[in-house]
Amino acid sequence: MKKAIKIIIFLLVIFFPIQIKGYCTTEEKLRYSSLASSIVTSYDYVEKDSGVTFSVTIHNVHSDLIVVDNNTGKRYTSKLNKLNNFTITNLKDGVSYKFDVYANNSSCPYRVYNTLYVTLPKYNKYYKEPICSDASDYLYCQKWAETGNISYDELVELVKNHKKKPDEEIITEKDPEDNWIYIIGNFWANNYIYISTAIIIICISIIIIKDRKDRFDF
């Protein structure tokens, strides 16, 4: 029985050989890491109808590498050129994207050689409103700002309150020279030599007078 099992295993090995996968050498890993480190990203945008759409471009992707979009699972690679650029369009503002870089080699299938992060700024649709024309420094009037889901009426109220603040601060602000702590400190800084000398003389005089009084009393 045992002999029959051995024969069957032998036949299986002959007719259905086990496929042994290759593996990455240290030299290959170093090469892929170097190529992956050269990959950079950039983004651009188009404004239209009080909105914006972004595009992200992945630069310097070597033909021996694959870039995977973690948000969609889409893979980007090409053998057309040694270095390739890939542009992803119709992306939303205020969203973060992550891209992992792998080797385009079946012997090194799962190792990540670089990870790229792209965070697109949040577009503020209200920044062109007339009420923001003289308040461009205010958060809710800046082109790229996280404003939440505020309505236009809420925006108007917020900007109006912001414009009132400078006048109120000027009225309530106190001159530091009117502060008594400042006055005392400034007086000491300008006259500490004279004050210290006077204190020393007074202390010496008191000591001398007390010493003489003690001798006469004796």
Side-chain angles (χ1 to χ4, degrees):
M1 182 67 179
K2 290 182 179 180
K3 186 176 181 180
I5 293 174
K6 289 180 179 180
I7 293 174
I8 293 172
I9 293 174
F10 177 74
L11 293 174
L12 288 173
V13 170
I14 292 175
F15 292 102
F16 304 96
I18 298 172
Q19 298 295 323
I20 300 175
K21 291 186 177 180
Y23 63 93
C24 273
T25 64
T26 301
E27 290 76 13
E28 285 177 315
K29 291 177 182 178
L30 291 173
R31 176 174 176 270
Y32 292 137
S33 294
S34 177
L35 293 175
S37 67
S38 299
I39 299 176
V40 294
T41 61
S42 63
Y43 64 78
D44 198 1
Y45 65 92
V46 176
E47 289 185 74
K48 185 178 180 182
D49 299 331
S50 298
V52 64
T53 57
F54 278 88
S55 61
V56 170
T57 299
I58 307 170
H59 304 269
N60 304 325
V61 182
H62 195 278
S63 57
D64 289 341
L65 298 176
I66 299 173
V67 177
V68 178
D69 184 344
N70 277 255
N71 293 59
T72 63
K74 190 171 181 179
R75 297 155 62 93
Y76 298 91
T77 187
S78 176
K79 294 290 186 180
L80 294 178
N81 302 296
K82 188 174 182 180
L83 293 177
N84 302 276
N85 298 331
F86 300 98
T87 299
I88 309 166
T89 59
N90 296 320
L91 301 178
K92 294 182 179 180
D93 60 307
V95 178
S96 295
Y97 296 88
K98 178 183 176 184
F99 303 92
D100 285 331
V101 182
Y102 298 88
N104 192 4
N105 182 342
S106 59
S107 297
C108 315
Y110 304 115
R111 183 185 179 91
V112 177
Y113 291 94
N114 194 7
T115 299
L116 308 168
Y117 297 92
V118 180
T119 298
L120 302 179
K122 185 66 177 176
Y123 179 76
N124 177 16
K125 63 182 179 181
Y126 296 125
Y127 87 99
K128 289 183 179 179
E129 295 295 334
I131 194 170
C132 284
S133 60
D134 57 346
S136 59
D137 61 325
Y138 185 46
L139 172 66
Y140 291 98
C141 287
Q142 294 179 7
K143 184 174 184 177
W144 306 111
E146 178 57 67
T147 58
N149 296 318
I150 64 170
S151 64
Y152 178 75
D153 292 337
E154 290 173 326
L155 169 76
V156 171
E157 189 65 25
L158 288 169
V159 176
K160 284 182 178 179
N161 291 336
H162 170 73
K163 290 179 179 180
K164 293 177 183 177
K165 285 183 180 180
D167 295 334
E168 293 174 358
E169 290 173 357
I170 292 172
I171 293 171
T172 57
E173 185 178 4
K174 293 183 179 180
D175 189 340
E177 295 187 1
D178 293 336
N179 189 305
W180 65 272
I181 297 177
Y182 173 84
I183 294 172
I184 294 173
N186 189 54
F187 180 77
W188 169 259
N190 294 328
N191 302 281
Y192 73 93
I193 295 177
Y194 305 109
I195 296 172
S196 299
T197 303
I199 291 173
I200 292 171
I201 293 172
I202 292 170
C203 290
I204 293 173
S205 300
I206 292 172
I207 292 170
I208 292 172
I209 293 170
K210 187 176 185 301
D211 182 62
R212 288 182 179 179
K213 183 180 178 182
D214 290 342
R215 281 189 290 173
F216 285 129
D217 289 343
F218 178 80

